[in-house]
Structures are given as structure tokens and as C-alpha cells.
Amino acid sequence: MLNREGKSMRRTLGSALLLSGLLALSQSVWASGDLEVDMKRLAKSTMAFAEAKDAEQAKKQLGIMRKATLSSKKSLPHKLENLPPENEQVKSYQQGLDQLLTEIDQLTVLVEQGQLEQAKIQGVNLVKIRNENHQKFR
């Protein structure tokens, strides 16, 4: 009886070790997946910002966009993954994200000043920046 329990425990431990090893090996896949999640979050929040009914909703969406953009800076698109940080394309990708952050911050100031409608009009720049950078790096 004790022997069976020991074998079962070893199998369970072996399975756990195998699973943790597979997770460790797939770390690079997770990094790319994070970027995709961030980009989807950005797109969703951009639409939600455009539809915001009040300043509180707008600020919440801008906050989500800012976090997703900052998170995106930690990853590179597949097209750039094997390039060094000093590569011009990598620098250009990072500059595009910095541009997006600047725009988000400007919109946040407008919303905080009670200029929600002006912020929504200016929010078109978010889509413009996204489209320009998608064309370059997707």
C-alpha cells in the first residue's frame, strides 16, 4: 500500500516538474502574447474613451491605455524581436509608444480640466498614431 502511494506521489511530482519546465521554456512566447494583449487592451480602451459619457469614465480608459502602453514598451513585435535595442527600427517602435504616451497624457489633462468633448475630438490622434505604427511594425 505504501509502495503505491510512493509511486503516485513520484508521478505527481514528475508531472509538476515537467509542467514547470514547459512553462519556463515557453517564456518567450508569453512575452509576445503580452504585447498582443496590451494592443487589444489599447484598442478596446480607445473605443471606450470615445464613447465615455463623463470625465470619470474617460479618465479610467486613459489610465488603462497608459498602463497598456507602458507594458508594451517591455516587449517587441515579432518583426523586431531579434534586433538589439540600439537598432533604428527598435528605437522607432519605442518612439511611437512614447508618442502615444504623450498624447494620452495630454488628453488626461484636458479631461481633468473639464474639457471632455475637446479631449474626444483630439483623441483621433490616438488612432492616427496607432495606424502609423501598425503600418510600420505589424
Side-chain angles (χ1 to χ4, degrees), residues 44-54 57-58 61 116 120:
K44 185 177 178 182
S45 291
T46 301
M47 288 182 4
F49 170 75
E51 296 170 359
K53 302 289 185 214
D54 59 42
Q57 289 176 343
Q61 296 309 317
L116 178 58
K120 285 183 178 184

Side-chain angles (χ1 to χ4, degrees), residues 50-99:
E51 296 170 359
K53 302 289 185 214
D54 59 42
E56 187 178 319
Q57 289 176 343
K59 281 175 50 175
K60 178 182 177 186
Q61 296 309 317
L62 288 164
I64 293 169
M65 283 187 252
R66 192 168 208 298
K67 285 180 185 176
T69 304
L70 287 171
S71 178
S72 296
K73 289 180 69 87
K74 298 174 187 171
S75 303
L76 292 174
H78 291 296
K79 188 176 181 178
L80 306 178
E81 280 180 340
N82 295 320
L83 299 175
E86 61 276 359
N87 180 279
E88 287 305 314
Q89 286 184 304
V90 173
K91 287 180 181 180
S92 181
Y93 169 75
Q94 293 294 331
Q95 287 170 346
L97 292 172
D98 289 339
Q99 229 183 341

Side-chain angles (χ1 to χ4, degrees), residues 107-126:
L107 296 175
T108 301
V109 169
L110 285 174
V111 171
E112 288 173 345
Q113 293 174 345
Q115 299 178 31
L116 178 58
E117 290 309 311
Q118 179 62 33
K120 285 183 178 184
I121 291 167
Q122 199 169 316
V124 171
N125 290 335
L126 294 171

Side-chain angles (χ1 to χ4, degrees), residues 23-34:
L23 288 173
L25 287 174
S26 66
Q27 190 64 34
S28 64
V29 173
W30 283 102
S32 299
D34 290 344

Side-chain angles (χ1 to χ4, degrees), residues 77 92-97 99-100 127-138:
S92 181
Y93 169 75
Q94 293 294 331
Q95 287 170 346
L97 292 172
Q99 229 183 341
L100 196 56
V127 177
K128 181 182 173 191
I129 293 167
R130 180 202 63 200
N131 290 347
E132 287 173 1
N133 286 288
H134 270 196
Q135 189 174 11
K136 290 180 194 175
F137 304 112
R138 194 159 194 207

